Amino acid sequence: MCATAPPVPEPVDSLDLGDGRRLAVTSDGGRLAALPMVRSADGTWRRARPGDGAAEALLGVLAAGTGVTSVGDFTVRSWANRDASGERGVGVDQTNESVIVGDAAVVKWATHLQEGPHPAITRLTTLRDAGFAGIPAPWGLVTWHAPDAAETVVASVDRYLPGAVDGWTWAVELITEAALAGDPAAVAPTAIAVGTLIADLHAALAITATTASAADAARWRDDAMQVLDAACIEHDVARANRGDIGAVLDDLGGLDGTPIIEAHGDLHVGQVLRGADGSFAVTDFDGNPVLPASQRALPVPAVLDVAGMAQSFTHAAIVADRYTALDPAALADAEAAARDGFVDAYRSRLGALGQDRLYDPRTLRAFRLQQVLREIVYAARHLPRWMYVPDAALPRLMGRHP
Ligand code: ADP
Ligand code: MG
């Protein structure tokens, strides 16, 4: 029996990729999607799957001319002129759909089209122009700019890093092994490499630096208080500590005048791939999915990224503890070595690059706490089995760890 492909809604717009392939923007009950499509022998269009050549065709479009080209409401930014062939899916659950082409490039179709303005456009362009080597080399970006909406990304193409290991995998392994060996110093080379990488990232984005307004500071504080309110509905420990947590978050209201940059905005270990050669690369500049689209591309203090990464080392340690029997003291030492080693390496690199002014650590704890509260709300609403992570993280941050 042959399964019938689900009908594809009539495109709102489409970009011809040549050779009977196109990138279509569709609307399904108001939800926009960017879908690769292929023309069948009978002339009808269907959704393209890995192997149908749509990703190869997009590489062909990029290779036809580097630079910026506008086609109707689409803009193609091409930074590479290499073809590749042979398509396969990434084989992991993901929000969007990525296709690996010839082990050379990864094409990500925005099957869940994000409302613009899309943060990746300026960030990737800035990083590329700065020659920043700590991201998988961007090959191209296709954006769509509907007349009544902000520009958003419909497809992105990056160099594929063969054998890359996902951040949650390497971080949990790193902390597990250091705790098992009773050797917290074993995490140092990784903590230093990642701290250096993020400092280099911020230095490369320093060209976007401006200063936070009183309204920015009030928004960060109010947003954090709203997350606290939501977390208190879901979580006894948050509720019991509401006053103390609120007092820490209140510091965010004092960020008026602090330097801000177009930072990563959703940084955690899961956004850092470890390449087969042991080097690290930052990915996913789509912004923080919990923020409304209008806020996702706004500049933020560098300490927000640092807090996201630092806290995720703690979360990796909590995950490590779940899967392997570990001595509590050895685990705590490994966790602290990873987290503090990362922050120290970040600061020292930023200083060496003459960019210390970008980093003010005074709200590090407030942003770490906000991250834990967001995890509580996320786990309660979408992923209950993740709740053990904020369950363990919150008391530690509030200094109530035994
Ligand atoms: P999503 O956020 O939609 O789930 P991601 O961009 O995070 O998609 O990528 C999905 C998977 O592909 C991740 O597991 C990541 O490890 C891997 N990946 C992403 N970019 C690359 C790359 N340039 N090279 C190798 N693997 C990658
Ligand atoms: Mg991702």
Side-chain angles (χ1 to χ4, degrees), residues 53-74:
E56 289 171 1
L58 177 57
L59 293 190
V61 169
L62 298 181
T66 52
V68 184
T69 314
S70 288
V71 185
D73 289 335
F74 291 92

Side-chain angles (χ1 to χ4, degrees), residues 48-115:
R49 298 291 167 191
D52 284 330
E56 289 171 1
L58 177 57
L59 293 190
V61 169
L62 298 181
T66 52
V68 184
T69 314
S70 288
V71 185
D73 289 335
F74 291 92
T75 302
V76 179
R77 292 169 179 80
S78 168
W79 298 302
N81 56 2
R82 284 186 50 195
D83 273 313
S85 59
E87 297 183 354
R88 63 187 165 92
V90 292
V92 298
D93 274 355
Q94 48 165 173
T95 318
N96 293 294
E97 184 179 312
S98 297
V99 179
I100 299 159
V101 188
D103 274 355
V106 48
V107 172
K108 184 162 156 183
W109 307 109
T111 55
H112 285 71
L113 200 67
Q114 192 168 311
E115 195 185 320

Side-chain angles (χ1 to χ4, degrees), residues 8-308:
V8 178
E10 196 50 32
V12 177
D13 202 351
S14 77
L15 175 70
D16 183 23
L17 303 176
D19 209 16
R21 313 294 194 283
R22 71 182 184 190
L23 171 54
V25 177
T26 63
S27 172
D28 198 352
R31 184 176 287 273
L32 292 172
L35 304 177
M37 297 178 83
V38 57
R39 195 166 51 218
S40 308
D42 65 2
T44 58
W45 289 90
R46 66 175 170 82
R47 169 86 142 85
R49 298 291 167 191
D52 284 330
E56 289 171 1
L58 177 57
L59 293 190
V61 169
L62 298 181
T66 52
V68 184
T69 314
S70 288
V71 185
D73 289 335
F74 291 92
T75 302
V76 179
R77 292 169 179 80
S78 168
W79 298 302
N81 56 2
R82 284 186 50 195
D83 273 313
S85 59
E87 297 183 354
R88 63 187 165 92
V90 292
V92 298
D93 274 355
Q94 48 165 173
T95 318
N96 293 294
E97 184 179 312
S98 297
V99 179
I100 299 159
V101 188
D103 274 355
V106 48
V107 172
K108 184 162 156 183
W109 307 109
T111 55
H112 285 71
L113 200 67
Q114 192 168 311
E115 195 185 320
H118 197 296
I121 304 168
T122 335
R123 286 153 175 77
L124 283 182
T125 306
T126 305
L127 291 171
R128 210 214 75 93
D129 291 349
F132 179 62
I135 48 175
W139 282 25
L141 204 56
V142 184
T143 61
W144 185 62
H145 198 163
D148 55 351
E151 187 178 13
T152 192
V153 172
V154 288
S156 57
V157 185
D158 293 324
R159 197 184 134 213
Y160 177 65
L161 308 177
V165 180
D166 173 82
W168 286 107
T169 304
W170 65 250
V172 171
E173 276 174 15
L174 177 78
I175 292 173
T176 302
E177 280 162 23
L180 283 173
D183 178 18
V187 306
T190 299
I192 291 169
V194 177
T196 304
L197 173 73
I198 302 309
D200 287 345
L201 173 81
H202 286 169
L205 291 165
I207 190 173
T208 66
T210 49
T211 303
S213 65
D216 289 328
R219 190 183 68 247
W220 294 322
R221 181 195 169 279
D222 294 349
D223 284 356
M225 293 302 180
Q226 273 182 28
V227 182
L228 174 58
D229 288 344
C232 284
I233 294 171
E234 314 289 354
H235 203 267
D236 293 344
V237 179
R239 202 162 41 246
N241 288 274
R242 187 183 204 129
D244 290 351
I245 297 172
V248 177
L249 298 180
D250 197 49
D251 288 353
L252 299 177
L255 284 172
D256 183 3
T258 204
I260 48 178
I261 52 171
E262 294 214 15
H264 184 282
D266 186 28
L267 197 61
H268 52 79
V269 287
Q271 308 286 32
V272 179
L273 295 177
R274 191 183 64 203
D277 63 355
S279 66
F280 292 89
V282 191
T283 64
D284 195 349
F285 289 83
D286 294 347
N288 193 330
V290 307
L291 293 178
S294 59
Q295 286 186 29
R296 248 175 249 157
L298 294 178
V300 292
V303 66
L304 174 70
D305 275 357
V306 175

